[in-house]
Amino acid sequence: MRISIIACIALLFFLSCANNRLVKDIEQFMNRQIVLSADWDAVYKGRDTVLTDFLEVPIKLVVWYDSLGCGSCEVGKMHEWNKITAYADSLAPWFSIVYLFTPSRADLRSVDRAVRIDKFDYPVFIDKDAAFIRQNPKLPKNRRLHSFLLDKNNKVVMVGNPLHNPTLWALYKTTIQKMMDNNGVLPEQ
């Protein structure tokens, strides 16, 4: 019994520290300007494409998959984003989603192949040279923070993956609407 109480206290302490770290990471990431590159390969419905003004949309949700996870596995789950993608389409030209993969050299070929085979009905960007990481060296390491909303100045205004969190998605939609009403920026509270 005593060991389980100590284990519970240790777990609570660990969760508290982990949560404090997450909050600190979010605070450091908010309002940071993010560089997006037109040099990434773009694939739409399985084919190479050129998107000249896609990254110029005032409000962008960046969904970034780094090299630490299984990139081709994530491509296989892209259909889960269909509802959010449809929402983005309904708000064009104000809002778009930037699906970005920065695979490791070893995973590059499988990610590229998966994106082409999957034929996702929305542009997917592949950052073959890890330029996104080089141009944004202060990106959070925590994968829970690899989805974030940018304003028209490419500043982070929200952080978190809304895919499986209806409350967060509702907050994203409210924030997007406020930004649309304020010419692409979040008004001061």
Side-chain angles (χ1 to χ4, degrees):
M1 178 72 168
R2 183 178 169 140
I3 292 174
S4 62
I5 292 172
I6 292 172
C8 287
I9 291 172
L11 180 62
L12 287 174
F13 178 74
F14 172 76
L15 292 175
S16 175
C17 290
N19 195 31
N20 287 341
R21 180 66 197 170
L22 182 63
V23 169
K24 185 178 177 184
D25 287 347
I26 291 170
E27 288 173 352
Q28 289 176 342
F29 194 45
M30 292 299 292
N31 292 313
R32 185 170 302 278
Q33 189 162 18
I34 300 297
V35 177
L36 302 176
S37 174
D39 294 335
W40 302 326
D41 290 353
V43 179
Y44 177 64
K45 293 186 178 183
R47 295 188 171 178
D48 289 330
T49 188
V50 176
L51 300 169
T52 54
D53 58 353
F54 190 82
L55 299 176
E56 301 302 318
V57 170
I59 306 165
K60 295 166 281 297
L61 170 61
V62 175
V63 179
W64 174 50
Y65 298 98
D66 65 8
S67 62
L68 299 178
C70 171
S72 56
C73 302
E74 296 296 343
V75 171
K77 296 187 243 175
M78 293 293 291
H79 67 278
E80 294 176 5
W81 286 92
N82 285 346
K83 188 175 179 179
I84 294 175
T85 299
Y87 179 77
D89 284 343
S90 75
L91 297 181
W94 275 97
F95 175 61
S96 68
I97 304 172
V98 178
Y99 295 106
L100 174 63
F101 286 84
T102 304
S104 66
R105 290 270 180 226
D107 203 23
L108 178 59
R109 187 176 273 173
S110 65
V111 168
D112 190 60
R113 188 174 332 133
V115 167
R116 292 173 193 291
I117 290 170
D118 191 64
K119 297 182 181 176
F120 187 59
D121 194 19
Y122 205 83
V124 176
F125 294 92
I126 303 174
D127 178 19
K128 294 180 177 181
D129 300 318
F132 184 64
I133 297 168
R134 281 194 314 280
Q135 293 171 329
N136 301 288
K138 304 241 180 193
L139 291 167
K141 303 255 184 271
N142 188 324
R143 296 184 82 206
R144 293 187 291 177
L145 306 180
H146 287 184
S147 296
F148 43 91
L149 190 64
L150 301 179
D151 69 8
K152 74 175 184 178
N153 300 312
N154 286 345
K155 289 190 176 184
V156 177
V157 296
M158 276 192 74
V159 182
N161 187 332
L163 185 60
H164 299 294
N165 186 331
T167 304
L168 184 59
W169 178 233
L171 184 57
Y172 263 90
K173 291 194 301 188
T174 301
T175 303
I176 290 166
Q177 187 59 56
K178 285 179 185 176
M179 292 168 66
M180 287 173 55
D181 293 344
N182 201 46
N183 198 31
V185 295
L186 191 60
E188 294 290 326
Q189 302 291 343

